[in-house]
Amino acid sequence: MHKLRTQILLSFNFFMLVIILLAMLFYFFFATDYYVAQKISVINSAFTTLHQMDLSLVAEEKEDPFTLFDEESFYIIICDHYFQPLYTNISRNVTDIISSQIQTKQEQYSRSARASLEEDTPGRPVSLRGVISQGGEEFYVYIYENTRNMQKSIQYANRFLIQILVIILVFGSAFAYLLSRWLVRPISDIQRVTEKIAQNDFSSRVTEKMPRNEMGQLAGNINHMADKIQRDINDLNNYNYLLLKQNRDMAEFEDLRKKLVSSITHELKTPLAIISSQVELLQYEYDESKKDYYFSSIMEEIDKMSSLISSILKNSVLENRIQNAERELTNLSELLNNQLPKYETWLSTKKIRLFSEIQKGCLSYVDPLQIEQAVNNYVMNACRHTHAGGMVTITLKSEPEWLYLSVYNEGEPIPDAEAEHIWTSFYQLKNRVRNDAFTEIGLGLYIVRDITLHHGGTCGVTNKEGGVEFYIRLPKNA
């Protein structure tokens, strides 16, 4: 980010420097020509204005006839054919100027005169020498302005531009720094979140206030992406749990089958041998009383075999129903406190408030990963069914024989008719309002129930005023 900020700062300063240097170069090389061209145009306009005036009455005019050109600095001399001055805006040496510039250079004056720059004359004046004929008389008009002062002004302007350049660079650098900081700050926040996502931490969100432009849309898309990945990972964990459970059940079933076959084979050898021998003796026995004895003996052994098979099946099923979790003495208080920042991030992105009431020192022999998965499912379920601005509360407290863990969320109650069905797999409530940002697949509560039962606990749901509370009871130190 510092590199991007530096690039913005240098680019902005370079742009300002180029613009000002170009302005200085243009002013240095073309300002004189531009000034001369403008002055020529104004002097020609003044000469055209004189054609429209009665020059014989100029001297009698009470007001200056050239007020239109008051802002200009050129000089005007008008004299008759006797070279007597009729009008001038020069305060002194008028006679000398008429003698040197009009009388002695009479042949340079023309009726179609145009202003021009006299480069070979001291002061390099812009001048016009014209003749106007009115009423049978000729009037000589001499208009001029030296450019020496103008060149001095251009030099002063160049020095001023250099000073302006320094000032603009200083203030422009400060402005560019603030601008680059304002532009880079949201990018830094986005980079922070994307780095967390790259490290498989999907709990962070872009919290910087973004402008409503492409940057804001990018931040919103990143937050939406993180939400979706988090939901997908949670659903994937649920599927993985089911898959592991199914694989474990299949392995245990196969082991049960092998044990069952082995037990049946071993236990049935004796009764089958007795029956076989009894049947063989019946072939050679003609005494009816002994035949009845053999038949009774065979039926007795058959009953024993039937009871034996039933007993084996019953014992095998009972012995293999319990799935042993990898339990260890776990501080559930610390487990939940460590998860609270993640839950707070999940809920804050949906504008849901999180509260917690966690009692210290709640210990139990559990599989921490499975309990964490169960609580995750409860929190995700609460987030799905809580409106923006609602509240979710996580509670953990100790009871005489149990540890009570619950997740309460503000929302609509669960109908009594559906309260028992929500714990079955792939069941979805139809009447509860869900947050559209989540997609419910109906496995979370089923997995919570399975985990709880295998830890010797219980789970359930209670409709409370203004919301719903899902709870788990786990045995203490058991």
Side-chain angles (χ1 to χ4, degrees), residues 191-248:
Q191 182 187 30
R192 174 185 61 81
V193 174
T194 53
E195 287 178 352
K196 294 277 187 154
I197 293 176
Q199 298 171 2
N200 295 325
D201 180 2
F202 305 99
S203 60
S204 296
R205 298 294 183 272
V206 180
T207 56
E208 187 73 35
K209 186 176 181 181
M210 296 290 175
R212 294 183 178 179
N213 52 22
E214 290 81 359
M215 191 68 67
Q217 294 176 359
L218 175 61
N221 291 337
I222 290 177
N223 285 341
H224 180 72
M225 176 186 68
D227 289 339
K228 189 175 186 305
I229 292 176
Q230 182 65 63
R231 295 195 304 271
D232 291 343
I233 288 178
N234 190 74
D235 291 339
L236 181 61
N237 290 336
N238 290 336
Y239 280 119
N240 286 340
Y241 178 87
L242 289 179
L243 182 60
L244 291 174
K245 181 176 179 295
Q246 290 175 355
N247 289 338
R248 185 171 59 246

Side-chain angles (χ1 to χ4, degrees), residues 366-383:
V366 296
D367 185 329
L369 294 179
Q370 291 190 8
I371 297 300
E372 179 182 337
Q373 180 66 32
V375 178
N376 285 350
N377 289 350
Y378 268 174
V379 175
M380 294 294 285
N381 180 72
C383 194

Side-chain angles (χ1 to χ4, degrees), residues 428-448:
Q428 299 180 18
L429 289 175
K430 299 179 180 179
N431 298 325
R432 265 190 111 195
V433 177
R434 293 193 296 268
N435 192 322
D436 291 336
F438 291 93
T439 301
E440 189 175 2
I441 61 174
L443 284 177
L445 298 180
Y446 167 75
I447 291 175
V448 172

Side-chain angles (χ1 to χ4, degrees), residues 403-414:
L403 294 180
Y404 183 85
L405 192 158
S406 67
V407 177
Y408 166 86
N409 69 280
E410 294 182 343
E412 298 182 5
I414 297 176

Side-chain angles (χ1 to χ4, degrees), residues 23 47-48 52 89-90 105 111 152 231 266 276 293 295 316 322 355 456 471:
F47 186 62
T48 302
Q52 301 171 0
N89 58 357
I90 301 175
K105 298 181 180 180
R111 291 178 174 81
K152 284 288 184 182
R231 295 195 304 271
H266 181 269
S276 177
Y293 170 77
F295 281 125
S316 297
I322 299 177
F355 297 91
Y471 64 89

Side-chain angles (χ1 to χ4, degrees), residues 49-61:
T49 302
L50 289 176
H51 281 81
Q52 301 171 0
M53 300 173 59
D54 188 351
L55 298 182
S56 61
L57 301 177
V58 168
E60 301 176 3
E61 292 287 344

